[in-house]
Amino acid sequence: MRVGIPKETRLGEKRVACTPESIDRLTKLGLKAVLEEGAGLSAGFMDAQYAEKGAEIRGAKDALCAEIILKVHPPSETEAKAMKSGALLVSFLEPQHRDGLNRLASGRVNAAALELVPRTSRAQSMDALSSQAGLAGYRATIEAAARYPRFFPMMMTSAGSAKPARVIVLGVGVAGLQAISTAKRLGATVQAYDIRPETREQVKSVGAKFIDLEDATKERQRVLLNDKLEQADILITTASVPGRKAPLLVSASTLRRMRPGSVIVDMSAAQGGNCELTVPNEIVVREGITIVGITNYPALVPGDASQFLSRNLISLLTLFWSGSSIKFDLTDDIVSASLAVYDGEVRFRGY
Ligand code: NAD
């Protein structure tokens, strides 16, 4: 049976769903890879590296009409149309967009969504949200450092000294924790806040200070947090709730109180933003503050992002593979949770 790996078509995407290293795993499973010509090029993987591992290099159509398709992004209308009835697609599917799922159901394409893999220990090797969020947290911090007009670390030179940058991270999930670690490694002083009190220890364990607001009332919390934000040189916001609009944490009036030259990296830009003035997919300057609204950080680290994603995709695929045919074992909790479209029906009922 063939596994198609088409080239991603979404604007700005540089990742590929399967790297040459993963072709070995497909071969071991008894599967034959069909790669669209040049699909790995923007992530640094040449066709020849795939061919060496035994993959066939073909056109887009051949990759899309395989029995199994591995992708990064949900297929476009044209891509979905090219897929065969009965095929299995494993990919990020953005299941909140019903149209895409309906389209796959009407073409009788079965589809497993990476977003719907439960965050349990058995599913850890398939947790692409976490693998990509970690990379994103790292890359977002690098973006902040590059946009900030000063140093991150303390510097002592013959021309004088510079103080370390003060970084605040809001939201301490996977992306936030990696942002904290990266900022620490770059030499900044870092504070962080999350509404989940259990993150306090995680923040401390990576050498940052937790902003403690637990004993204050809701209104007082807002005031205290705003006072803190005013003192930040760099603010990295990652606060989000799955399937919902991101919480607004930085109002235009708070931003006005920050120092000119400060940088806000709003990692939740695609979910509506944690900052009122964020513009998704743009970098804007408001009141002297640079607000970064990049929405696809993993595409800016495409080599490692593809490597991790490819491993996650193949781990998930193994649950749908009997050794000789595609199987749908709905008694398996990971299969049942991730299978968004099956047998002409949309199974995903919402977050
Ligand atoms: P996550 O769910 O692991 O973490 C989100 C954290 O936000 C949680 O710890 C939650 O408790 C916290 N939170 C929720 N409401 C809050 C509030 N009002 N105040 C403070 N904290 C609050 O998510 P993640 O995987 O770390 O991703 C974080 C964000 O980054 C998401 O918006 C995600 O979409 C985004 N992201 C962006 C990219 C990109 O390329 N731009 C890539 C990966 C993730």
Side-chain angles (χ1 to χ4, degrees):
M1 207 169 274
R2 292 168 309 157
V3 177
I5 307 147
K7 186 171 159 61
E8 294 300 316
T9 50
R10 191 172 282 192
L11 195 68
E13 188 52 75
K14 294 193 163 159
R15 287 170 291 175
V16 60
C18 190
T19 61
E21 170 205 271
S22 295
I23 303 292
D24 284 336
R25 272 184 81 188
L26 291 178
T27 310
K28 275 200 193 112
L29 291 168
L31 294 161
K32 175 89 187 158
V34 179
L35 180 91
E36 176 179 346
E37 195 180 352
L41 211 55
S42 53
F45 305 110
M46 313 291 284
D47 289 348
Q49 292 173 274
Y50 289 92
E52 224 169 77
K53 302 273 184 187
E56 274 178 37
I57 316 296
R58 295 282 184 87
K61 263 199 184 144
D62 297 300
L64 286 166
C65 73
E67 289 74 35
I68 298 170
I69 303 113
L70 300 180
K71 263 187 72 36
V72 178
H73 287 291
S76 66
E77 219 173 317
T78 324
E79 287 167 337
K81 270 193 193 138
M83 292 177 190
K84 283 205 300 208
S85 162
L88 170 68
L89 166 69
V90 189
S91 173
F92 280 116
L93 287 180
E94 296 171 2
Q96 67 276 20
H97 301 310
R98 207 78 195 167
D99 290 359
L101 298 186
N102 287 339
R103 205 180 288 142
L104 290 166
S106 65
R108 298 194 87 79
V109 174
N110 304 300
L114 286 168
E115 295 94 329
L116 302 179
V117 168
R119 282 175 140 166
T120 57
S121 46
R122 186 169 78 99
Q124 231 168 29
S125 63
M126 307 156 203
D127 187 354
L129 277 183
S130 293
S131 78
Q132 303 301 293
L135 278 154
Y138 157 82
R139 187 57 181 79
T141 311
I142 299 296
E143 195 65 33
R147 303 263 164 203
Y148 182 52
R150 294 168 182 270
F151 287 122
F152 255 44
M154 182 176 74
M155 285 277 182
M156 306 252 252
T157 75
S158 56
S161 58
K163 286 185 188 156
R166 286 168 300 187
V167 173
I168 292 186
V169 176
L170 297 181
V172 186
V174 183
L177 261 182
Q178 191 52 250
I180 296 171
S181 304
T182 308
K184 284 290 298 177
R185 271 182 240 134
L186 290 174
T189 60
V190 187
Q191 299 187 59
Y193 171 72
D194 193 297
I195 42 171
R196 290 184 298 125
E198 62 267 33
T199 57
R200 178 197 316 258
E201 286 312 313
Q202 295 168 346
V203 168
K204 281 193 196 155
S205 73
V206 287
K209 188 166 172 243
F210 189 74
I211 301 174
D212 211 332
L213 305 176
E214 214 177 5
D215 294 333
T217 59
K218 270 247 145 52
E219 195 38 49
R220 184 84 189 121
Q221 280 185 357
R222 208 185 306 271
V223 174
L224 289 173
L225 193 60
N226 275 323
D227 288 348
K228 280 275 177 202
L229 300 187
E230 244 178 80
Q231 299 158 17
D233 299 310
I234 311 282
L235 182 57
I236 300 174
T237 69
T238 79
S240 76
V241 183
R244 296 237 298 267
K245 195 174 177 304
L248 185 63
L249 302 176
V250 188
S251 64
S253 63
T254 304
L255 181 127
R256 266 180 222 115
R257 283 158 55 195
M258 291 178 72
R259 264 199 312 257
S262 302
V263 178
I264 299 177
V265 173
D266 188 343
M267 292 196 65
S268 297
Q271 284 78 40
N274 293 138
C275 172
E276 193 178 350
L277 299 182
T278 299
V279 182
N281 298 314
E282 283 188 31
I283 296 162
V284 295
V285 180
R286 298 282 182 268
E287 315 281 341
I289 317 284
T290 303
I291 310 168
V292 180
I294 292 173
T295 57
N296 191 354
Y297 287 102
L300 302 177
V301 202
D304 280 326
S306 302
Q307 197 80 273
F308 292 171
L309 185 60
S310 160
R311 291 175 195 155
N312 296 143
L313 277 165
I314 291 176
S315 293
L316 181 57
L317 172 62
T318 55
L319 301 184
F320 290 88
W321 181 240
S322 75
S324 55
S325 60
I326 300 171
K327 66 168 184 183
F328 299 97
D329 175 8
L330 296 176
T331 64
D332 181 311
D333 63 320
I334 303 175
V335 170
S336 179
S338 62
L339 193 58
V341 183
Y342 176 51
D343 206 13
E345 299 227 2
V346 175
R347 294 181 73 246
F348 175 66
R349 295 274 167 264
Y351 280 104

